[in-house]
């Protein structure tokens, strides 16, 4: 028997919070930038250079979360048969949150005990745990903390299917995830389809990011004798497995530093990855051939890596990641042709293999034993048959809507109809008008009436567009400050700073707003004109004096321009609630140090500075602590072990 039901899951939760209303223009460095591709072949080099984005626009940043948690009910869908119970978080990217092997009661995934956003995703907010579905561009997907559309579908044999889908705005594609548990099946089956409805080739990226518990007896296996290693030094290396430097990286608790290992799987091998304990049991993921890559990510045993794990979850809840993707590495995009439809099937379940073999010193024997167990659990022929069958039934309309995602697919459907373009999607992934909301309202007005009304009280726009298809609409619109502001954002995202500057200045000529001044400030800073940026930020702040994101951007710019005294004056004038914000406290401490007041900096460090949105790879806290220590007799917090910053400030990923 197989069942699909809706329920709720209660978790200690820090809400994702409101989006930052300021568009992420010229958003800066990419942690996945490859500075040295080393021994990469020509294909990999092309894919590494291809498809990079300069910003996550049209999405806005999700940085409004804190570290304060309250028990909250989350809508979930549960698939269950006699062997497995799979729980999906519908409001958080459709993430597979839990996969329980019912006969033993064993949780196969790392199930996070808390819902705690942290700054690791393209839009900032990200959650650790479960299986995350990443699409679009390198990094954790823009939809990772967003609801997906979800519905009940049914296979021809009557098996219930959980269908989830969304329109991904960065690449302009539709993705569809169908999950089902046939009666008696030892594995959860997941069919993924990406459709490029456009007349242009688009760069494409997909990685299924799987978190599993980490322990000294857990070993990660995949069908490869070598791997591409990528670490925080941004160098790509090709290394033999399992112990390239004398340390067996397949046993992750032995590794010191955080790193990615992309398994170099030979052509013709089945695509799978497993994390098995000393009994030879653990989670396996296997797929049909299109999902080519497999990856191991480990946090390492250094102080920073251990701190990150607790920051994302709770003490004593270590985990590692095993992943599966379209390309050989996570540093690449693949060209997806116009009109293309890419599909594959993934299977997740409990693998049971000979423990002596999979834990033995003979690497080839270990992976061979695991491969034999994979073939017994999920024969390649049966997985291929599921892919063929799904290619037919996955096109059918769903039977019952269970959850709604964004209105962007509905808006794109309307735009295509208005412009005489081919339809966005088929009947399997409906985007009804009922999903349209306030974020789409300005664009519906533009489509229907050729104009854009100003937001109430000159407030910030609620959404943006960067698809080139909207440029003609904006250029033809009745001239208004909102239309010109949006045109400038689209031009900036398209790499036309001169056009953006002209549009924003024309917007200001029609009506001065904080939003055009702020965008001009970001452009000036991007071009190295720090004085011009400071002047533009001053104008923006005059028109929107209480907006904290604007204050943070402005003070960061002033610090960069060596104007620390102005920063102190601005912070001293803030209301107490804003002065207590972690980023404001860090800025105050940095400005105090830079302006010759190490005692003030030391007091702030001693009292504690917490950055809920500290970025993966960001060392601003430890750098501030060391800078203060070097400049002041007053030590502030005591040093941590090995001369590192105190643990509360140590998020460094390299020892």
């Amino acid at each position: 028997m197989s069942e699909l039901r809706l329920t709720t899951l209660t978790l200690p939760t820090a809400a994702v919070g409101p989006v930052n209303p300021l568009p992420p223009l010229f958003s800066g460095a990419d942690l996945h930038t490859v500075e040295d591709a080393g021994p990469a072949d020509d294909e990999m080099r092309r894919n590494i250079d291809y498809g990079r984005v300069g910003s996550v626009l049209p999405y806005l940043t999700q940085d409004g979360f804190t570290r304060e948690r309250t028990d909250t009910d989350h809508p979930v869908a549960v698939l269950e048969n006699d062997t497995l119970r799979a729980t999906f978080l519908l409001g958080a990217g459709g993430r597979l949150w839990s996969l329980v092997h019912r006969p033993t009661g064993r949780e196969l995934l790392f199930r996070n005990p808390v819902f705690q956003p942290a700054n690791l995703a393209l839009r900032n907010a990200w959650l650790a745990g479960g299986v995350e579905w990443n699409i679009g561009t390198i990094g954790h997907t823009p939809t990772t903390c967003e609801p997906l559309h979800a519905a009940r579908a049914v296979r021809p044999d009557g098996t219930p299917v959980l269908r989830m889908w969304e329109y991904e705005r960065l690449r302009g594609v539709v993705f569809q995830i169908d999950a089902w548990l046939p009666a008696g099946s030892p594995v959860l089956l997941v069919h993924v389809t990406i459709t490029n409805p456009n007349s242009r080739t688009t760069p494409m990226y997909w990685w299924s990011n799987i978190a599993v518990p980490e322990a000294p007896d857990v070993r990660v296996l995949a069908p490869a004798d070598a791997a591409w290693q990528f670490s925080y030094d941004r160098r790509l290396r090709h290394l033999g497995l399992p112990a390239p430097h004398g340390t067996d990286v397949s046993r992750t608790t032995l590794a010191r530093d955080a790193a990615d290992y992309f398994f170099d799987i030979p052509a013709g091998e089945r695509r799978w990855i497993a994390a098995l304990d000393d009994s030879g049991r653990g989670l396996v993921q296997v797929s049909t051939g299109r999902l080519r890559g497999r990856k191991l990510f480990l946090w390492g045993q250094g102080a920073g890596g251990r701190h990150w794990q607790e920051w994302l979850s709770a003490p004593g809840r270590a985990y590692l990641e095993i992943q599966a993707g379209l390309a050989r590495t996570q540093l690449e995009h693949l060209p997806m042709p116009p009109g293309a439809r890419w599909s594959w099937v993934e299977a997740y379940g409990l693998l049971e293999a000979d423990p002596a073999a999979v834990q033995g010193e003979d690497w080839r024997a270990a992976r061979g034993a695991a491969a034999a167990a994979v073939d017994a659990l999920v024969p390649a022929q049966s997985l291929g048959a599921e892919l063929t069958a799904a290619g037919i039934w996955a096109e059918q309309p769903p039977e019952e809507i269970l959850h709604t995602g964004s209105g962007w697919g509905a808006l794109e459907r309307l735009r295509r109809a208005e412009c005489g373009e081919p339809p966005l999607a088929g009947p399997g992934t409906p985007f009804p008008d009922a999903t349209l909301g306030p974020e789409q309202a300005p664009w519906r007005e533009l489509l229907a009436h050729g104009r854009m009304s100003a937001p109430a009280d000159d407030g910030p726009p609620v959404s943006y567009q960067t698809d080139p298809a909207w440029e003609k609409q904006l250029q033809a619109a009745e001239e208004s400050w909102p239309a010109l502001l949006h045109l400038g954002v689209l031009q900036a995202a398209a790499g036309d700073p001169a056009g953006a500057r002209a549009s924003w200045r024309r917007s200001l000529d029609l009506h001065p707003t904080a939003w055009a001044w702020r965008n001009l400030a970001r452009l000036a800073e991007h071009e190295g004109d720090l004085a011009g940026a400071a002047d533009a930020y001053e104008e923006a702040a005059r028109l929107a004096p209480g907006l904290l994101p604007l204050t943070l951007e402005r003070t960061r710019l002033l610090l960069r321009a060596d104007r620390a005294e102005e920063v102190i004056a601005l912070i001293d004038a803030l209301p107490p609630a804003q002065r207590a914000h972690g980023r404001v406290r860090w800025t105050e401490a940095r400005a105090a140090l830079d302006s010759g007041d190490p005692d003030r900096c030391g007091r702030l460090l001693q009292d504690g500075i917490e950055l809920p949105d500290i970025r993966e790879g960001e060392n601003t806290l430890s750098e501030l602590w060391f800078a203060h220590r070097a400049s002041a007799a007053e030590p502030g917090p005591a040093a941590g072990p090995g001369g590192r910053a105190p643990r509360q400030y140590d998020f460094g990923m390299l020892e």
Side-chain angles (χ1 to χ4, degrees):
M1 178 179 178
S2 179
E3 179 186 7
L4 167 61
R5 64 182 185 274
L6 289 183
T7 184
T8 58
L9 177 66
T10 303
L11 289 169
T13 298
V16 174
V19 296
N20 185 327
L22 305 178
L25 299 165
F26 318 111
S27 54
D30 177 1
L31 282 175
H32 302 90
T33 299
V34 181
E35 294 182 356
D36 181 357
D41 57 34
D42 289 343
E43 177 197 12
M44 187 177 291
R45 288 177 183 272
R46 284 195 303 271
N47 290 341
I48 287 172
D49 292 337
Y50 172 65
R52 298 274 171 166
V53 298
S55 167
V56 74
L57 276 167
Y59 298 99
L60 294 174
T61 304
Q62 295 173 310
D63 60 1
F65 53 87
T66 69
R67 303 280 303 169
E68 297 177 5
R69 298 190 285 258
T70 58
D71 286 349
T72 304
D73 291 338
H74 296 266
V76 297
V78 177
L79 280 170
E80 191 165 15
N81 67 6
D82 290 340
T83 305
L84 294 170
R85 181 171 60 250
T87 303
F88 297 81
L89 275 180
L90 300 179
R95 182 182 298 246
L96 174 59
W97 191 248
S98 169
L99 185 63
V100 175
H101 183 252
R102 294 185 63 198
T104 62
R106 176 170 178 163
E107 174 62 69
L108 299 179
L109 300 171
F110 168 67
R111 182 171 56 194
N112 201 329
V114 299
F115 185 104
Q116 176 58 66
N119 185 0
L120 283 86
L122 289 164
R123 297 176 66 188
N124 189 316
W126 180 77
L127 306 171
V131 182
E132 175 192 28
W133 318 107
N134 289 294
I135 187 172
T137 190
I138 297 167
H140 296 286
T141 187
T143 56
T144 194
C145 286
E146 291 283 319
L148 296 189
H149 299 279
R152 181 190 302 272
V154 179
R155 292 204 317 167
D157 64 0
T159 300
V161 176
L162 172 64
R163 176 168 300 167
M164 300 179 290
W165 70 97
E166 188 51 279
Y167 174 62
E168 200 292 292
R169 302 174 66 206
L170 197 62
R171 300 305 192 189
V173 301
V174 175
F175 67 95
Q176 174 183 341
I177 302 166
D178 287 297
W180 69 102
L181 269 171
S185 174
V187 293
L188 171 72
L189 296 168
V190 180
H191 177 260
V192 181
T193 302
I194 305 172
T195 302
N196 178 11
N198 303 295
S199 59
R200 62 183 183 274
T201 297
T202 189
M204 190 43 56
Y205 172 96
W206 178 282
W207 281 80
S208 301
N209 179 11
I210 308 151
V212 295
E214 181 183 54
D217 67 331
V218 171
R219 191 179 203 189
V220 175
L221 297 167
D225 292 324
W228 300 92
Q229 184 210 49
F230 186 71
S231 186
Y232 289 82
D233 63 1
R234 304 190 181 189
R235 292 181 60 197
L236 191 64
R237 302 171 178 87
H238 194 252
L239 307 172
L241 292 174
H245 301 299
T247 299
D248 186 346
V249 297
S250 72
R251 307 178 192 276
T252 59
T253 58
L254 301 178
R256 184 189 67 176
D257 292 329
D260 296 328
Y261 292 90
F262 301 99
F263 292 95
D264 191 2
I265 301 176
E269 291 278 356
R270 286 197 78 185
R271 308 288 159 162
W272 59 267
I273 189 168
L276 307 179
D277 63 18
D278 59 6
S279 71
R281 298 180 177 90
L283 181 85
V284 66
Q285 188 269 4
V286 59
S287 73
T288 50
R290 184 175 288 280
L291 213 58
R292 183 180 181 186
R294 293 298 185 276
K295 169 191 165 182
L296 162 65
F297 170 74
L298 53 93
W299 287 102
Q301 297 304 300
R306 292 196 303 273
H307 191 190
W308 264 111
Q309 295 219 350
E310 293 187 6
W311 184 258
L312 296 167
S313 177
R317 300 298 297 250
Y319 76 96
L320 58 90
E321 293 174 0
I322 54 177
Q323 303 192 22
L326 285 172
R328 285 180 290 170
T329 75
Q330 218 166 42
L331 312 171
E332 305 170 69
H333 297 100
L334 301 182
M336 187 175 190
R341 185 177 176 87
W342 289 355
S343 297
W344 63 89
V345 172
E346 305 179 40
Y348 296 82
L350 175 67
L351 189 70
E352 299 180 276
D354 176 8
V358 297
Q359 294 290 346
E361 295 303 314
D362 186 332
W363 171 255
R364 292 196 174 189
R367 65 178 182 80
V374 172
D375 289 341
L377 181 72
V378 193
Q381 185 176 1
S382 68
L383 207 58
E386 292 286 4
L387 177 61
T388 300
I392 300 172
W393 60 257
E395 297 273 356
Q396 301 303 310
E399 295 207 341
E400 177 190 6
I401 299 298
L402 304 176
H403 198 258
T404 55
S406 80
W408 293 113
L411 179 72
E412 177 63 8
R413 176 179 55 77
L414 293 175
R415 187 200 65 77
R416 286 171 170 268
E418 178 72 21
C419 298
E421 297 180 14
L424 174 64
T429 53
F431 294 102
D433 286 354
T435 61
L436 293 161
E439 290 181 323
Q440 292 79 43
W443 306 99
R444 293 184 70 186
E445 181 187 23
L446 180 63
L447 275 179
H449 305 294
R451 65 173 184 266
M452 273 189 150
S453 298
D457 300 322
D458 286 352
V462 295
S463 60
Y464 291 89
Q465 293 281 11
T466 54
D467 188 324
W470 287 98
E471 185 168 7
K472 289 182 181 179
Q473 302 276 352
L474 289 167
Q475 288 175 333
E478 179 183 312
E479 194 170 70
S480 65
W481 76 257
L484 287 161
L485 182 83
H486 281 288
L487 179 60
V489 170
L490 193 151
Q491 290 166 324
D496 180 12
R501 179 184 289 105
S503 295
W504 292 330
R505 290 210 171 274
R506 179 60 184 146
S507 178
L508 285 173
D509 289 341
L510 293 177
H511 184 68
T513 65
W515 326 119
W517 277 117
R518 178 267 178 183
N519 292 349
L520 287 167
R522 290 291 293 129
L523 177 56
E525 182 180 6
H526 177 67
E527 295 177 337
D529 179 9
L530 302 189
D535 291 344
Y537 270 125
E538 183 175 1
E539 291 295 328
R542 181 177 59 81
L543 294 166
L547 186 63
L548 181 58
L550 184 60
T551 299
L552 290 172
E553 282 193 7
R554 183 186 181 192
T555 53
R556 177 190 49 77
L557 179 279
L558 292 172
L559 282 177
R560 187 181 171 197
D562 297 323
R563 294 162 66 168
E565 292 84 357
E566 293 179 52
V567 173
I568 292 294
L570 286 172
I571 289 175
D572 285 344
L574 292 177
Q578 291 195 2
R579 287 198 65 177
H581 188 278
R583 285 285 170 187
V584 174
R585 287 175 61 79
W586 178 90
T587 303
E588 180 182 352
R590 182 73 255 183
L593 194 61
D594 291 353
S595 62
D597 190 353
D599 289 347
R600 182 170 179 172
C601 176
R603 288 192 297 272
L604 288 160
L605 286 168
Q606 188 69 47
D607 291 343
I609 300 173
E610 183 179 78
L611 304 181
D613 67 333
I614 190 166
R615 181 71 175 170
E616 180 187 6
E618 180 182 347
N619 294 315
T620 52
L621 284 171
S622 58
E623 289 170 355
L624 175 64
W625 183 85
F626 279 114
H628 172 262
R629 190 175 180 86
S631 66
E634 178 186 340
R644 297 179 67 99
R647 191 172 189 278
Q648 76 213 70
Y649 299 142
D650 188 358
F651 289 87
M653 300 305 293
L654 292 174
E655 295 297 300

